[in-house]
Amino acid sequence: MNSEQVYIGVDVSKDELVISRMGITEVQRLVNRPVEIKRWLKALPAGCWIGMEATGIYHRALAEHTYLAG
């Protein structure tokens, strides 16, 4: 079991999410659509900490699906 905590920051816009993971230089870009968000969340290790920028209403899908994913 990996006990190292994973921290992720997400910059939110209408069309895309720009994702930065602590300790990794490269950012990941993801289309801001529920199907893409759910796929991305399933690939993350359990217990991640995810912080996001709340931009108007565009962060809602990410917030909702992150919450539902636990």
Side-chain angles (χ1 to χ4, degrees):
M1 180 198 312
N2 185 358
S3 62
E4 188 174 324
Q5 190 63 54
V6 176
Y7 297 97
I8 298 170
V10 183
D11 182 47
V12 179
S13 74
K14 177 182 176 184
D15 297 319
E16 81 175 346
L17 307 174
V18 179
I19 302 162
S20 179
R21 196 164 165 168
M22 187 173 166
I24 298 177
T25 308
E26 299 170 11
V27 297
Q28 180 180 2
R29 295 180 183 277
L30 187 69
V31 177
N32 192 0
R33 305 252 187 301
V35 68
E36 299 295 328
I37 293 168
K38 288 186 232 178
R39 184 179 308 138
W40 174 71
L41 289 169
K42 287 180 184 177
L44 295 177
C48 289
W49 286 82
I50 300 174
M52 69 189 75
E53 172 196 18
T55 305
I57 62 169
Y58 302 119
H59 69 287
R60 289 183 181 171
L62 176 60
E64 179 180 337
H65 293 294
T66 300
Y67 175 78
L68 292 173

